[in-house]
Amino acid sequence: MSGVTRSAADVPAGSGATPAATGSPAPSAHRTGSPIIPPGPRPAVLTAVLATLVAVLALVGQWAVLPAVVVLQAVTAAGWFRLNGMWPARQGIALAFAGGLTADAAVLLLAPRHAVPALLGVLGVWFLLVLVLQLRHRGGADERLDALTAGAVSTLLTISAAGLLAATAVHAGAVTAVAAGVAIAAPVRGVLTVRVVGPVAAVLAAAALGAALGSGPGAGVISSVESLPAAGAAAAGAVCALLGLRVASYDWPSRFVHFTAGVALPLTAAAPVAYALARWFAA
């Protein structure tokens, strides 16, 4: 059976299995309180570590940042399926992760100017594979739609993470600034849980860090980016991190969701922005 297309634990409908036995979340009707539960500070520390690795290794080159991107893609693929209540989903996770690895290879083997067409090509092929995988589905129409949506979005996110590799080839300083913004915004938001204060403080801290890193040509860590553009790039990374954390907070997320989607989505969401800013800085 396809792990993508089944319910939370690949248990056939009508088997009599309970949510506790399958590992799926309990029905929302039996829950109280807000369904939005932020990941908190501990997953934020892991996000900060991963984003810091990307920020530092991007200055070395594509091959140096590749291991961190691969880890990000693996956690993203697994986290998205669990966030959608589908577990285990071995085939779906493996397919999405394979798409990410294929996208990495395409970006590394082709010239930087061909990165976007390469990613779009891989994405198109993998969307087709997701559809083919659903042909093995034996559930109802709603279950098939949920599985198709989860597989397609997981594939999209995992492949888009390869944008960090593409951005590194175009302008490594932009990747460093954006990833640094993610690295500081996630723990700040994890500690400051007040609705307005936390996001504002996270963006301001990211902008300050970006300005410090890009202190002008020949100075600072990002010598190729001046302070103001670096601050803006870091702030953009912080906004992406906040969006990723918000998505990972929905629908009574489990601890496993917090330590997968809650760790990966803040940085994965920033990958397209990092590529766009890299093109802008290089222009």
Side-chain angles (χ1 to χ4, degrees):
M1 296 293 181
S2 168
V4 180
T5 60
R6 303 309 301 274
S7 59
D10 285 340
V11 177
S15 65
T18 64
T22 62
S24 63
S28 57
H30 300 291
R31 293 173 173 173
T32 58
S34 173
I36 300 175
I37 305 174
R42 284 186 289 180
V45 170
L46 297 179
T47 300
V49 170
L50 187 57
T52 300
L53 287 175
V54 171
V56 172
L57 296 175
L59 297 174
V60 180
Q62 282 183 306
W63 289 99
V65 79
L66 177 61
V69 172
V70 170
V71 171
L72 176 64
Q73 290 170 322
V75 180
T76 298
W80 188 261
F81 275 97
R82 192 62 185 96
L83 181 63
N84 285 270
M86 304 181 117
W87 193 263
R90 300 178 186 89
Q91 293 183 9
I93 293 171
L95 182 62
F97 182 53
L101 295 180
T102 304
D104 296 342
V107 169
L108 291 171
L109 295 176
L110 297 176
R113 66 179 181 274
H114 299 310
V116 172
L119 291 177
L120 291 176
V122 173
L123 188 60
V125 171
W126 250 257
F127 276 165
L128 179 61
L129 293 177
V130 170
L131 289 173
V132 171
L133 188 60
Q134 301 312 308
L135 296 177
R136 303 177 60 189
H137 197 284
R138 300 183 181 180
D142 290 341
E143 188 178 338
R144 288 198 302 270
L145 180 60
D146 290 344
L148 178 61
T149 303
V153 175
S154 179
T155 298
L156 173 63
L157 292 173
T158 307
I159 291 176
S160 68
L164 292 171
L165 288 176
T168 299
V170 176
H171 197 291
V175 179
T176 298
V178 171
V182 175
I184 190 66
V188 169
R189 185 67 181 98
V191 172
L192 299 178
T193 58
V194 181
R195 181 171 298 180
V196 177
V197 175
V200 172
V203 174
L204 291 178
L209 178 59
L213 293 176
S215 53
V221 176
I222 315 173
S223 58
S224 59
V225 184
E226 295 184 357
S227 294
L228 186 57
V239 172
C240 293
L242 294 174
L243 291 174
L245 288 171
R246 183 67 172 182
V247 172
S249 303
Y250 274 105
D251 201 17
W252 286 283
S254 66
R255 180 182 177 87
F256 188 90
V257 171
H258 282 166
F259 279 92
T260 51
V263 170
L265 288 183
L267 185 55
T268 299
V273 173
Y275 182 78
L277 289 175
R279 292 292 298 267
W280 181 44
F281 288 171

